[in-house]
Amino acid sequence: MADKHAEEVTVNHTTGDEGASARKNKKTTGSSRRTKARSQSGPPSAARKDNTEKKGEAAQQDAGTSGKKDTAASGKNKAKNGSKKNGKTQALGAKKKSKKNTHKAQDLRGENSVKGTSKNKKTRGKKAVPEGSEHVISTRGRHQIKRALVSVYDKTGLEEFAQALHEAGVEIVSTGSTAARIEQAGIPVTPVDDVTGFPECLDGRVKTLHPHIHAGILADRRKKDHVRQLNEQDIRAFDLVVCNLYPFENTVASGAKFEECVEQIDIGGPSMVRAAAKNHACVAVIVSPKNYNDALGHIAKGGYTYRQRRRLAAEAFTHTAHYDAAVSQWFIDQVETVHQRGKKHDSSYSSPDDNNAVNKDNRTGALVFEDVIAALATENEQLPQLRYGENPHQQAAAFAYPLTTGGIAHAKVLHGKPMSFNNYYDADAAVRAAYDHDEPCVAVCKHANPCGVAVANDIAKAHQLAHDCDPVSAFGGVIAANREVTQQMAEQIRPIFTEVVVAPSFSEDALEILKKKKNLRLLTMQEPEKGELEFRPISGGMMVQAKDDVREEGDDPAHWKLVAGKAVADDVLADLAFAWRAVRSVRSNAVLLAKNGATVGIGMGQVNRVDSVKLAVERANTLGSRSTGDAASDAGGDHSEKGGVGGARTQDITSDVPEERARGSVAASDAFFPFADGPQVLIDAGVIAIVEPGGSVRDDEVIEACDKAGVALYFTGVRHFSHAG
């Protein structure tokens, strides 16, 4: 499907002479630095090579009326004295002449040529565009880089990069010390205050916070109205923003005083970066010197593509998010330390007690919980208060990410007690297991591991089969369904002690039945969004990764490799495909047995794979009843208290279950078998087919064992480890 922004729009960057002259003459004309920069300008800044007198002569040649001499004289007069008064006189004179004359000279300010265009606002920007002054904004092709804003603290490779930009015909606008370094290297550069008409002030705190900068970054040049406004306000757009930020974290790490750290909080930099990233349809943004060579390569090819600009935008937003998080956490540290000392906070920068403070709990040395929660709540939606964490002595809180709608964090509680930390954790595991399947599916989870997973044409049947897998472990568990909970499913759930039931919806009859269980939590939620990130804490920090989804090429049975035995029948292959999807949600080491679209035995979390195999077979053949007697208790009461004895009797809700369910089942392993002993246990239990990733140095031994037993063995080439969080 074509991108909705794929339509090409040609944009004219030319600006009116009177606007440019008026703004230019707000500045005094004695700066040798700026004169030098302008005199050295190369393509596409040919207009800046001409002095003001030549602009007047160009205007005289183009006018074509009896007022030509007056226009030229005015231009020459401006060149001679450079005064604000005469500059304004010329601008006013040119404006009056334009009422009598058809055309006037255009000051392209950095483009390659000068050409007359209509002064009429209704047609401005619609006339022929001078060569080198048009931009084609398209999501399908490359967007040429003609004008760049460069403002960097880390000046690694700056001179070389700026020189290459200049040689590529890119006009450079820059700020403060960045502009000074570029100019010292003999490279033409336009100081940012030449663009804004306003000098840097407040010790450099205000440089780029100006409409002539931010409108030039934010203008969506696919929109004709934005282009019209740029032309009316005499603003030129930027195609590239190169910016990295003040070294806040390094300053804090150096032990600097409070006020020194505050001064290293960048304001204009993040604003420019975020503006460019937001407008990635028209602007490329670079936040690290490591991307300079890549940028030059793209410029040589004609610019960045839309997809490349979008990737740069993602990197930019990550950069500013990390920066803001560092500033936020540091400020929390300062506030809490002052509070702990019992001192009244001094908002001035003079308090020595504020310096080098570290926000730690005096007892544990950990970050103060309340302040971390307060910081997280500024960026995320805090969910109802959790009584405690995994254990009663642990504090806990839960949050929902902004701009997302799916998943357990956004679930709506229809009935029951407030959710706990463990409820959320188990419910999330159950939801992921249920939504790994396209067919109606139910997953029953306990301690973040599936007790049973099943698919069927009917959601109630799927629940029955999932519960059948291990009714003992299902006691006190969490149930997730990827379809509406029906009356029949609710009737099956009613006698079972269950903590949470989560589904897209509940029928009215199902709600009426389940709401009679006062402590049962009923939740509705939208399908979790694919491609999310997940975060894992480690001591002193965290790790982040893309969530594992069953959508790799090797997850499709069509891409599996049969390495032992004969190809299985379609119904057996369907069970293998189900088992492969279901085993992803089991904690490693994971081995899962399945038959007729349902799990019959699950072995999880063992430190060696052969133990997981043995556990899966044992659970398949005993319904888990050898581990505990909970399933044998009365079904008469509502055993709603945690730790209460029993649930439903197995025969009350399960179908006829054979004594040895492993026989005739299929097996899936989340990772390869390192030895043949694991598959041999499966073979001895009567398993008829196995699917696993393959890739062990002893694959040949495993293949030989399966071949000898006539058991089909398929390799997927993809692994689905799921370590405990």
Side-chain angles (χ1 to χ4, degrees), residues 73-388:
S74 177
K76 291 178 180 179
N77 185 48
K78 176 184 172 185
K80 290 178 181 178
N81 54 43
S83 68
K84 293 182 179 179
K85 181 177 180 181
N86 285 333
K88 291 178 180 178
T89 301
Q90 184 203 27
L92 290 172
K95 186 174 182 180
K96 290 179 180 179
K97 294 291 183 183
S98 67
K99 295 180 181 180
K100 298 179 180 180
N101 301 328
T102 306
H103 296 85
K104 70 178 190 66
Q106 283 278 359
D107 174 12
L108 296 180
R109 298 179 62 243
E111 303 297 349
N112 286 330
S113 61
V114 178
K115 184 171 182 176
T117 61
S118 172
K119 179 67 174 66
N120 191 316
K121 289 184 178 180
K122 293 182 179 180
T123 60
R124 187 174 186 180
K126 297 181 181 180
K127 293 291 182 180
V129 181
E131 182 182 356
S133 68
E134 67 178 28
H135 286 269
V136 178
I137 306 299
S138 172
T139 60
R140 292 177 296 185
R142 295 181 179 272
H143 171 39
Q144 188 175 358
I145 305 299
K146 296 186 177 182
R147 192 170 188 242
L149 176 61
V150 183
S151 179
V152 294
Y153 183 89
D154 181 357
K155 296 179 174 58
T156 303
L158 174 63
E159 291 89 344
E160 295 83 355
F161 181 57
Q163 182 63 44
L165 287 179
H166 172 61
E167 291 174 356
V170 178
E171 177 192 354
I172 302 174
V173 176
S174 189
T175 63
S177 60
T178 305
R181 283 280 289 270
I182 295 173
E183 185 178 16
Q184 288 168 8
I187 303 165
V189 60
T190 300
V192 73
D193 47 348
D194 270 11
V195 176
T196 64
F198 200 92
E200 296 181 11
C201 62
L202 305 181
D203 297 322
R205 285 189 172 194
V206 178
K207 297 187 286 285
T208 59
L209 299 173
H210 191 280
H212 277 274
I213 298 300
H214 281 274
I217 299 173
L218 281 165
D220 186 344
R221 285 167 276 160
R222 298 167 301 174
K223 299 179 180 179
K224 294 181 179 180
D225 188 56
H226 282 207
V227 177
R228 176 187 58 79
Q229 292 180 62
L230 287 182
N231 288 335
E232 287 181 350
Q233 298 300 325
D234 192 22
I235 297 172
R236 290 190 54 229
F238 291 99
D239 307 302
L240 174 67
V241 171
V242 182
C243 181
N244 54 62
L245 311 180
Y246 294 167
F248 174 79
E249 290 181 275
N250 290 342
T251 303
V252 171
S254 72
K257 293 182 178 181
F258 180 84
E259 57 266 31
E260 294 174 18
C261 295
V262 169
E263 283 305 312
Q264 292 303 316
I265 298 175
D266 205 332
I267 302 300
S271 298
M272 287 189 293
V273 169
R274 287 174 60 83
K278 175 178 180 177
N279 197 30
H280 61 272
C282 304
V283 182
V285 57
I286 296 175
V287 294
S288 172
K290 67 181 176 62
N291 290 331
Y292 287 172
N293 287 337
D294 186 55
L296 295 174
H298 289 301
I299 291 172
K301 294 177 182 178
Y304 287 96
T305 66
Y306 176 77
R307 185 178 296 275
Q308 290 163 349
R309 295 195 299 276
R310 187 166 60 181
R311 186 167 59 248
L312 290 174
E315 182 177 342
F317 280 124
T318 301
H319 184 63
T320 57
H322 175 85
Y323 192 86
D324 289 341
V327 173
S328 173
Q329 185 56 60
W330 177 77
F331 252 103
I332 289 172
D333 292 348
Q334 313 313 305
V335 173
E336 178 58 28
T337 300
V338 173
H339 173 71
Q340 285 180 342
R341 291 173 178 172
K343 295 183 180 295
K344 193 172 183 179
H345 184 258
D346 181 1
S347 61
S348 72
Y349 291 165
S350 60
S351 172
D353 289 331
D354 282 357
N355 298 336
N356 307 319
V358 180
N359 176 25
K360 300 286 185 181
D361 184 284
N362 291 332
R363 180 173 60 88
T364 66
L367 295 174
V368 176
F369 180 83
E370 290 80 4
D371 288 334
V372 173
I373 298 308
L376 290 172
T378 62
E379 299 292 336
N380 305 279
E381 176 190 353
Q382 186 166 3
L383 302 181
Q385 183 176 359
L386 304 180
R387 291 173 60 196
Y388 51 79

Side-chain angles (χ1 to χ4, degrees), residues 398-630:
F399 297 88
Y401 291 142
L403 305 179
T404 60
T405 56
I408 198 68
H410 293 279
K412 180 181 179 182
V413 180
L414 302 181
H415 171 75
K417 296 190 297 184
M419 292 284 285
S420 71
F421 183 96
N422 291 331
N423 290 154
Y424 274 119
Y425 198 71
D426 288 344
D428 190 51
V431 164
R432 290 190 67 185
Y435 278 93
D436 270 344
H437 303 271
D438 297 327
E439 308 96 325
C441 180
V442 171
V444 182
C445 279
K446 188 83 167 286
H447 300 297
N449 261 308
C451 311
V453 183
V455 295
N457 293 330
D458 173 75
I459 199 69
K461 182 64 175 178
H463 168 252
Q464 182 187 65
L465 293 172
H467 185 86
D468 281 355
C469 179
D470 189 351
V472 174
S473 300
F475 174 78
V478 170
I479 299 173
N482 66 359
R483 298 290 195 279
E484 180 176 87
V485 174
T486 62
Q487 179 182 358
Q488 183 181 352
M489 181 175 170
E491 292 284 7
Q492 293 171 185
I493 294 172
R494 184 194 60 77
I496 307 167
F497 170 44
T498 302
E499 293 273 12
V500 181
V501 180
V502 56
S505 59
F506 294 78
S507 72
E508 291 184 9
D509 292 336
L511 279 178
E512 184 178 352
I513 294 167
L514 295 176
K515 280 186 175 181
K516 292 177 181 178
K517 299 170 70 69
K518 64 179 182 179
N519 292 324
L520 173 62
R521 302 160 181 87
L522 304 178
L523 279 64
T524 58
M525 54 154 277
Q526 297 181 33
E527 181 176 355
E529 297 171 9
K530 301 293 184 183
E532 287 186 342
L533 299 178
E534 58 186 8
F535 303 86
R536 298 286 177 88
I538 54 176
S539 56
M542 67 175 180
M543 301 181 293
V544 61
Q545 66 174 358
K547 277 191 175 179
D548 183 29
D549 291 315
V550 191
R551 53 180 180 177
E552 299 299 317
E553 184 177 272
D555 294 323
D556 183 351
H559 295 284
W560 291 356
K561 182 179 180 181
L562 178 64
V563 295
K566 296 180 180 179
V568 297
D570 289 346
D571 59 336
V572 177
L573 186 63
D575 276 340
L576 281 170
F578 164 78
W580 180 248
R581 282 182 168 270
V583 79
R584 186 213 63 80
S585 60
V586 182
R587 302 298 183 186
S588 296
N589 286 312
V591 174
L592 180 147
L593 307 184
K595 191 172 184 179
N596 298 326
T599 57
V600 295
I602 303 175
M604 75 289 283
Q606 304 304 303
V607 293
N608 68 70
R609 196 157 297 277
V610 70
D611 280 352
S612 290
V613 172
K614 291 177 179 178
L615 182 59
V617 170
E618 180 185 2
R619 286 178 178 272
N621 291 339
T622 65
L623 289 174
S625 60
R626 290 182 185 173
S627 303
T628 174
D630 284 343

